Amino acid sequence: MTHRITPLLLAVFFASSLAAESTPGVPDWALPGSSTHRQVPPPAGFHRDTVTFDRPIGLFEGQSDIGGPFTSGSAWYNSGTGTYKIKAAGYNIWYFRDEFRFLWKKMSGDFRLAADITFEKPKGFDDRKVVLVVRQDLDDNAKEAMAALHARGLIHLAVRPEKGADLKEAVHVDHQRNGHERLGLVKDGDTFTLLVSLNGEPLHAAGSTTLHFDAPYYVGIGFTSHQPANPDVALISHVELTTK
């Protein structure tokens, strides 16, 4: 995707970058929330090109650094254990654009995607998150539906109803992480259902929402550390991706 950055946006970007003294080169708005800082949306119209790699991995046809993160991601697949290891930075998957490493397969029709989720380091930044996601395209502001698990335990189903819109939470599940989480995302027509298993029980529905996608679209798994310059690692295993 080709995009234009106006002189005003360039000024905002570089001014913000200078303000982020603790992380040179990263704009202040992209720094994660803390006791002394509040993360805010990117400046209106801000985009970075996605970087896509012709690198099939496991079940997936390709992989992309959505939104051109400040720090590039990487991924490995262990066929013996059926585990995907994703190392990624990226400031967030929210607002009107995203930054994360995405392993994807181009699909049409209905599907069921499910996976076990853990973090290589159990203790770490609370807002890092793994997502099961469907995206209309690979641009940073694509229409999407996602099921997400945050490191602190929050689980939700959220949608970006149209390209460039803010993400909206549709289903919210408060949860204290125990390391046994399995999530699922099911597409049935225009209905998307969040599935959860929090203690080893069978996956069960936690809520749903509706959103229309034109075929084909991109279905897969992703991870962001929620910190633009500090990568982290997620482990996603026993991935099930089937058509219905």
Side-chain angles (χ1 to χ4, degrees), residues 20-170:
E21 295 179 355
S22 60
T23 313
V26 174
D28 184 66
W29 55 260
L31 296 177
S34 69
S35 59
T36 58
H37 182 272
R38 186 173 74 89
Q39 188 180 68
V40 296
F46 182 87
H47 293 286
R48 288 199 192 102
D49 287 342
T50 290
V51 180
T52 293
F53 306 89
D54 183 16
R55 226 176 272 169
I57 180 169
L59 295 171
F60 303 105
E61 298 170 0
Q63 43 189 311
S64 301
D65 276 337
I66 300 293
F70 184 81
T71 301
S72 181
S74 52
W76 303 265
Y77 177 62
N78 185 324
S79 59
T81 63
T83 299
Y84 297 85
K85 179 178 179 179
I86 303 178
K87 182 178 182 180
Y91 82 97
N92 206 345
I93 306 175
W94 204 253
Y95 304 123
F96 63 82
R97 67 176 299 270
D98 308 319
E99 289 184 11
F100 69 107
R101 185 70 168 204
F102 183 35
L103 313 186
W104 51 262
K105 181 176 182 179
K106 224 171 184 179
M107 299 184 69
S108 301
D110 296 337
F111 65 83
R112 173 188 169 104
L113 173 63
D116 294 342
I117 298 169
T118 58
F119 297 92
E120 188 173 65
K121 297 177 181 178
K123 293 185 178 180
F125 192 67
D126 280 350
D127 275 330
R128 56 191 166 147
K129 54 180 172 278
V130 172
V131 294
L132 312 183
V133 62
V134 53
R135 295 173 64 88
Q136 187 65 71
D137 57 54
L138 297 175
D139 294 340
D140 62 349
N141 59 354
K143 176 193 287 190
E144 71 179 1
M146 72 166 190
L149 171 67
H150 295 239
R152 70 175 181 269
L154 168 64
I155 296 169
H156 56 198
L157 174 64
V159 298
R160 180 175 289 122
E162 60 185 27
K163 192 177 185 72
D166 283 343
L167 269 171
K168 301 179 185 299
E169 186 178 69

Side-chain angles (χ1 to χ4, degrees), residues 111-115 117 132 146-149 155-157 171 173 181-187 192-198 201-208 240 244:
F111 65 83
R112 173 188 169 104
L113 173 63
I117 298 169
L132 312 183
M146 72 166 190
L149 171 67
I155 296 169
H156 56 198
L157 174 64
V171 179
V173 179
E181 293 82 8
R182 182 172 179 82
L183 293 191
L185 180 65
V186 175
K187 179 183 183 298
F192 288 87
T193 301
L194 168 67
L195 306 178
V196 298
S197 171
L198 305 180
E201 76 278 13
L203 282 168
H204 55 278
S208 62
E240 167 195 354
K244 297 183 64 201

